[in-house]
Amino acid sequence: KHPEHYDENSPSVRVGSDLNKEFRQVEHKYPMLSLGNTYSETEVREFYERVRKALNEDFEICCELKFDGTSISLTYEDGRLVQAVTRGDGVRGDDVTDNVKTIRSIPLRLSGDGYPRRFEIRGEILMPWTVFEELNREREQREEPLFANPRNAAAGSIRQLDTSVTASRPLRFLAYGFGDVRFGGVQPWSTYEEVMGRLRDFGFETPPGGRLCLGSEEVEAYYASLSEKR
């Protein structure tokens, strides 16, 4: 009755809509690249030594958990969420803005201040194990194919043509950085810890359980402690 009051960032968009539409492809302003990985402590030590020699001094490493979900790039203008794009092939991805707006841990409007007029935040959309198990129980009752793992389930959930399906699945978002490490051409913070702190100021949840380590031995000790907890 009152379209003049419509606000695309209203909390009401969290509910989702049953209108179907195809996803359009969007090219990333900055490529979404894969993380390098290793399963060898020797390679971790060699990496640390290479960097230490280049810097000619010891340095600290922020260690944190790697969450296995689906990567997403969020664009904000004047503190408002305007676009969400999947990683895709790293160069371009799918515009899933309407679906992502149903995820309650993603701010539709940023908190605080000090952000540029337009910038990207990147992070991981996850499906918690409890949600995954309940979803598969429901699918089993309907005699539908089960999801193999939470990662596939999370990826499938944000690519639903019916956004109400996405809204019905309590997904979680963890922010891990900015699309442009210079933050719009300027580097206002000197450490990754400061970046994470600013993301929390803006209203985002960041990966819990991190630790600041000095030297490869402390990194290995952190890894060992996580292995025990798993």
Side-chain angles (χ1 to χ4, degrees):
K1 290 183 179 179
H2 299 282
E4 69 275 14
H5 297 314
Y6 173 74
D7 181 355
E8 63 181 10
N9 288 302
S10 165
S12 63
V13 303
R14 304 280 199 189
V15 178
S17 166
D18 60 1
L19 295 176
N20 289 353
K21 66 178 183 180
E22 298 294 334
F23 299 111
R24 69 184 183 93
Q25 294 262 300
V26 176
E27 186 166 338
H28 295 295
K29 184 176 181 181
Y30 308 100
M32 291 191 75
L33 305 177
S34 299
L35 291 174
N37 63 2
T38 181
Y39 300 94
S40 164
E41 292 181 359
T42 299
E43 289 186 5
V44 173
R45 288 192 289 270
E46 290 173 349
F47 161 78
Y48 184 86
E49 283 304 311
R50 284 197 306 273
V51 178
R52 188 184 65 79
K53 287 179 181 178
L55 296 174
N56 199 31
E57 63 181 3
D58 290 329
F59 63 97
E60 293 175 318
I61 296 178
C62 282
C63 297
E64 64 184 21
L65 297 162
K66 167 66 171 71
F67 290 90
D68 205 12
T70 185
S71 297
I72 201 81
S73 177
L74 307 175
T75 299
Y76 284 82
E77 283 187 1
D78 298 322
R80 296 159 63 97
L81 177 64
V82 296
Q83 190 173 68
V85 182
T86 63
R87 179 177 167 234
D89 62 4
V91 176
R92 60 184 58 82
D94 291 329
D95 186 331
V96 291
T97 306
D98 290 343
N99 284 346
V100 163
K101 283 184 175 181
T102 69
I103 301 174
R104 295 180 181 275
S105 55
I106 293 179
L108 301 180
R109 300 187 185 192
L110 298 179
S111 304
D113 52 26
Y115 40 79
R117 181 180 176 276
R118 181 183 176 91
F119 70 106
E120 288 180 42
I121 287 176
R122 291 181 174 176
E124 200 85 354
I125 292 176
L126 313 170
M127 176 173 285
W129 275 101
T130 52
V131 176
F132 170 74
E133 290 164 353
E134 178 61 28
L135 177 61
N136 266 351
R137 276 195 295 269
E138 294 174 356
R139 293 177 71 86
E140 186 175 25
Q141 291 173 359
R142 296 193 297 267
E143 298 183 349
E144 296 175 353
L146 303 185
F147 283 112
N149 53 60
R151 179 184 187 177
N152 291 356
S157 295
I158 65 164
R159 298 193 76 260
Q160 294 289 322
L161 294 178
D162 179 351
T163 60
S164 64
V165 174
T166 308
S168 70
R169 300 175 182 176
L171 299 172
R172 183 179 177 188
F173 175 76
L174 295 176
Y176 55 61
F178 299 113
D180 180 1
V181 295
R182 294 168 302 168
F183 202 60
V186 179
Q187 178 61 35
W189 307 299
S190 59
T191 68
Y192 182 71
E193 273 193 312
E194 289 182 70
V195 169
M196 292 295 99
R198 290 300 287 151
L199 285 172
R200 289 189 289 271
D201 291 342
F202 295 161
F204 292 96
E205 184 180 2
T206 58
R211 184 185 300 174
L212 195 62
C213 297
L214 179 62
S216 58
E217 290 184 1
E218 290 189 13
V219 173
E220 291 171 19
Y222 173 73
Y223 171 78
S225 70
L226 292 179
S227 297
E228 291 176 7
K229 291 178 181 179
R230 288 188 73 185

